[in-house]
Amino acid sequence: MNPPSPFETDVIVLGAGAAGLMCALTTGGRGRSVVVLERAERPGKKILVSGGGRCNFTNLHATADNYLSDQPDFCRSALARYTPQDFVALVEAHGVAYHEKKLGQLFCDGSSREIVELLMAECRDARVHVLTGHDAQAVTRAEDGAWTVDTARGRFRAASLVVAAGGVSWPKLGGSDVAYRLARQFGLRIVPPRPGLVPLTFGGETLDLCAELSGVALPCARPAQGTRAFHENLLFTHRGLSGPAVLQISSYLPPGDTQAEVTFDLLPDAPPDEDWLADAHRRGQEAHLASVLSERLPTRVAQAFARPLGNARPLRQYSPRALAALERRLRRWTLRPGGTEGYPKAEVTLGGIDTRDLHGKTMQARQVPGLFFIGEAVDVTGQLGGFNFQWAWASGHAAGEAV
Ligand SMILES: Cc1cc2nc3c(=O)[nH]c(=O)nc-3n(C[C@H](O)[C@H](O)[C@H](O)COP(=O)(O)OP(=O)(O)OC[C@H]3O[C@@H](n4cnc5c(N)ncnc54)[C@H](O)[C@@H]3O)c2cc1C
């Protein structure tokens, strides 16, 4: 559709992702006229691929503690006013079947498409115009405060502009830096963006090991001394490590610190005070080291970790010290990542619009009335597990109530 140009509404929302659609349906539901400009040919592309096609659409336990931000308290207000239960109520009202996979993570039973369909149905009911194939190319603000957005397919004017253009991760799915550029244009500060929830890459011997074990997954935990607990899977890849445990830890690596280390406990279910291998040695185990290790580790991992000690001997022939050292290594496998797989593989972008320049209750820019930023574009980033969508819904709703 090419609407009349200029097309005048109360509100322009820039981006038809999770945050933009939630904002649009909320403000449209209040009787405001809204147009959503989306440069892709369809709305909600990230929703469609999320959660392996089943969209982990929220997390029942979401609190501010699940988010990274330079201002950790900023997200509290929006999260408190639109909770996981609010989104669940919407999902249930549309008859979308869902289940809790684990740890409060809610997924569709069927397909992520159902989440996009419910958001679009709500937008239709609220008479929101969602215009795909509309790339916002230039934004200006008139002296009376009105906003003009130019696209190749026409000009749009409104009293308020909500920027919901996401972060720069996964450019193939719409990631762009337009939110940051607009923030700078209107004087807001930016917390330097960086890839989050991203696979880690390694060099040298660690890379050789990862490549050899590529495709193998195993449960691991962060050792007790770590600041954030997790107990999730680690996946070996041709370039390094991935899987939920690694994605989670990647967001907490200090930016730019090439000496930063990550530590994994590869025996997360073993009692911490147990001396597993030393005890087996004392019992005079006849089994070979690799086969003893494979009682608790995938066979290929067991073989790879036993190899430096020579894995084809009965356990009783090893020195207790060497076995204790191996067990320590498995419980505290410490590595120094060479880097990450970067934005093309990062589920989220950390950093973004500096929250010191936004009102937490409304998401409006403190110094620019009528300008709002929501969703991943803002310096609020969730852990893995449905927290990022919950932030998109909550921040979109906060702006939608205010705009
Ligand atoms: C592979 C993958 C899986 C994920 N799985 C999950 C999950 O299961 N659970 C979870 O909570 N989170 C998940 N995430 C994270 C989650 O998808 C994002 O945090 C969330 O989509 C952010 O929503 P948003 O609306 O802020 O931004 P986006 O969803 O990125 O939407 C921004 C929109 O703005 C549009 N846009 C950009 N520039 C312009 C422009 N110039 N003009 C017009 N439109 C523009 C884009 O095309 C896009 O549609 C996943 C992310 C990825 C990449």
Side-chain angles (χ1 to χ4, degrees):
M1 164 190 161
N2 275 338
S5 186
F7 189 67
E8 309 246 1
T9 51
D10 295 326
V11 182
I12 297 169
V13 177
L14 213 163
L21 292 174
M22 175 55 80
C23 177
L25 69 87
T26 306
T27 194
R30 292 170 47 234
R32 311 273 283 151
S33 59
V34 190
V35 64
V36 183
L37 302 177
E38 168 56 56
R39 70 176 180 176
E41 69 291 352
R42 60 192 303 181
K45 277 176 109 174
K46 278 196 185 165
I47 302 174
L48 291 171
V49 302
S50 67
R54 293 221 163 121
C55 188
N56 177 192
F57 56 79
T58 192
N59 190 300
L60 292 173
H61 310 310
T63 70
D65 293 344
N66 300 110
Y67 295 88
L68 290 91
S69 170
D70 271 10
Q71 311 294 321
D73 288 331
F74 175 83
C75 59
R76 280 185 198 282
S77 170
L79 290 173
R81 283 178 300 117
Y82 193 84
T83 64
Q85 286 70 24
D86 289 322
F87 194 75
V88 169
L90 189 61
V91 166
E92 289 179 353
H94 284 260
V96 175
Y98 66 93
H99 60 279
E100 179 178 345
K101 197 166 167 191
K102 58 175 182 174
L103 307 169
Q105 302 168 3
L106 301 190
F107 285 75
C108 298
D109 288 356
S111 149
S112 308
R113 205 175 314 121
E114 293 171 275
I115 299 295
V116 178
E117 281 165 7
L118 90 74
L119 295 167
M120 291 301 285
E122 291 282 330
C123 281
R124 267 192 306 280
D125 288 352
R127 298 176 183 277
V128 172
H129 301 272
V130 180
L131 304 182
T132 54
H134 282 70
D135 186 352
Q137 291 167 346
V139 173
T140 50
R141 184 168 184 252
E143 273 182 15
D144 65 356
W147 297 91
T148 300
V149 178
D150 284 312
T151 74
R153 295 167 75 176
R155 170 167 283 190
F156 296 81
R157 252 205 308 256
S160 302
L161 173 67
V162 183
V163 181
V168 285
S169 47
W170 280 69
K172 277 190 192 157
L173 295 174
S176 91
D177 68 351
V178 69
Y180 311 147
R181 282 191 275 127
L182 288 174
R184 282 195 198 99
Q185 182 182 342
F186 294 100
L188 283 82
R189 289 167 286 184
I190 303 288
V191 175
R194 62 183 206 278
L197 300 181
V198 62
L200 299 178
T201 56
F202 294 88
E205 283 176 12
T206 310
L207 176 61
D208 296 341
L209 178 71
C210 292
E212 176 193 339
L213 297 176
S214 174
V216 178
L218 77 165
C220 74
R222 183 180 278 219
Q225 293 93 321
T227 46
R228 304 259 157 192
F230 64 72
H231 189 148
E232 306 240 39
N233 266 8
L234 170 153
L235 172 71
F236 293 94
T237 74
H238 280 292
R239 302 189 62 191
L241 294 174
S242 187
V246 175
L247 301 186
Q248 293 283 35
I249 220 169
S250 72
S251 294
Y252 291 91
L253 285 176
D257 181 355
T258 52
Q259 301 301 307
E261 291 181 335
V262 291
T263 301
F264 300 101
D265 178 357
L266 303 182
L267 301 172
D269 299 317
D273 48 359
E274 182 196 46
D275 288 326
W276 170 43
L277 294 177
D279 289 348
H281 182 267
R282 267 193 293 278
R283 288 197 304 272
Q285 273 257 15
E286 281 299 331
H288 287 182
L289 176 60
S291 67
V292 175
L293 290 183
S294 66
E295 289 167 16
R296 293 187 179 181
L297 294 166
T299 307
R300 284 169 60 196
V301 177
Q303 286 167 346
F305 275 82
R307 194 182 308 127
L309 280 72
N311 53 6
R313 281 187 283 149
L315 195 80
R316 61 180 166 72
Q317 291 185 12
Y318 291 86
S319 80
R321 267 182 67 187
L323 292 175
L326 174 58
E327 185 163 343
R328 268 199 308 279
R329 183 170 183 231
L330 291 168
R331 286 179 186 266
R332 291 194 61 82
W333 191 39
T334 300
L335 307 166
R336 189 168 291 162
T340 75
E341 292 202 25
Y343 290 120
K345 292 285 170 65
E347 279 199 13
V348 286
T349 308
L350 292 152
I353 317 304
D354 193 324
T355 57
R356 288 175 300 172
D357 292 339
L358 300 176
H359 289 287
K361 193 169 174 201
T362 61
M363 312 302 291
Q364 184 167 205
R366 287 187 181 276
Q367 305 297 334
V368 193
L371 179 62
F372 298 71
F373 288 88
I374 57 175
E376 196 179 314
V378 176
D379 173 34
V380 174
T381 306
Q383 298 169 345
L384 194 77
F387 301 106
N388 284 296
F389 280 134
Q390 187 55 37
W391 170 246
W393 314 136
S395 59
H397 187 264
E401 290 272 283
V403 73

